[in-house]
Amino acid sequence: MVKGLIFRYGRANPIGRRGRGVLTALILAFLALGLAFSPAYGGDWSQFQRDEVRSGQTPDPGPVSGAVKAWKVFTASAGCSGIDTAPVIAEGRAFVLAIAGKVFAFDALSGGLIWSRNLGTNAPFTFELSTPAYGEGKLFVAQQDGRVWALDAGTGDTVWGPVPLGAPADQLNTPVTYHSGRIYVGSAFGRKAVMSAGTPGTASVPTRRFF
């Protein structure tokens, strides 16, 4: 006998209509079981409000009922400061910038810690208000003390930085924006900067400072 075929009167005949229906039902049942027991999360949310135009929209469906807490973790706190930025999601990881330059990468499904970095701060305040951005495998971080970093999203290692874009009191408070090989960031005093997402000074798009 040949697998997948039924022999009758010495001839090999394909599985009939009823057999195909049963097979289809079994496949669908296995797929449903796989979906039921496999955790899932939405698509990437790689910067503040998801994209460079701040659309705040995603094609992924949200839960309509029965939503439950999947996980929670503690990062750091000091006084009234803790996490004052929005997390960003990319590569199946949740990236968070907390107080005084503490950066964390968690597994987006389990909440397990993947890596953490303490960038420190030279600012008189410990809070960080600039939501990082993800692009080209890097996490771009702007700090209160005027410094900008690019960290390897997979390991947390420094790709470049810190690049000073102002004095410690300049307060890079706006969310970092990534688009087409460049990052954009602004200060609390209305000054803005655009720079290459690659290594500053060597990338095809040269680093630019405040304007």
Side-chain angles (χ1 to χ4, degrees):
M1 179 178 290
V2 180
K3 290 184 178 180
L5 301 176
I6 297 176
F7 281 77
R8 184 179 183 185
Y9 303 120
R11 297 177 58 189
N13 296 315
I15 295 175
R17 180 179 300 176
R18 182 179 179 183
R20 287 196 299 269
V22 172
L23 182 60
T24 300
L26 287 173
I27 292 174
L28 291 176
F30 279 117
L31 288 175
L33 286 173
L35 290 175
F37 290 100
S38 298
Y41 63 94
D44 287 354
W45 195 277
S46 59
Q47 52 191 313
F48 184 72
Q49 294 286 28
R50 189 173 181 265
D51 50 37
E52 71 275 6
V53 296
R54 304 287 189 255
S55 70
Q57 298 180 348
T58 176
D60 300 307
V64 294
S65 64
V68 295
K69 177 175 62 183
W71 53 267
K72 70 174 182 178
V73 295
F74 175 79
T75 56
S77 64
C80 61
S81 299
I83 298 176
D84 299 304
T85 63
V88 296
I89 311 296
E91 296 185 4
R93 300 174 181 182
F95 302 96
V96 177
L97 172 62
I99 63 167
K102 295 179 175 64
V103 188
F104 301 84
F106 300 101
D107 184 282
L109 292 180
S110 69
L113 178 65
I114 298 174
W115 57 259
S116 64
R117 283 287 306 274
N118 186 356
L119 304 179
T121 182
N122 298 316
F125 309 105
T126 59
F127 56 83
E128 303 282 6
L129 301 179
S130 177
T131 296
Y134 169 89
E136 303 178 10
K138 309 180 190 76
L139 184 71
F140 303 103
V141 180
Q143 292 190 258
Q144 276 278 335
D145 61 6
R147 299 182 300 167
V148 180
W149 305 69
L151 307 180
D152 185 295
T155 64
D157 295 337
T158 300
V159 178
W160 54 255
V163 175
L165 291 181
D170 274 338
Q171 299 183 29
L172 300 182
N173 288 347
T174 65
V176 180
T177 299
Y178 169 82
H179 179 61
S180 299
R182 300 184 184 187
I183 58 173
Y184 304 81
V185 66
S187 78
F189 305 100
R191 293 191 293 172
K192 300 172 287 293
V194 55
M195 58 192 302
S196 168
T199 304
T202 63
S204 57
V205 180
T207 299
R208 294 177 61 187
R209 299 298 176 92
F210 281 123
F211 60 89

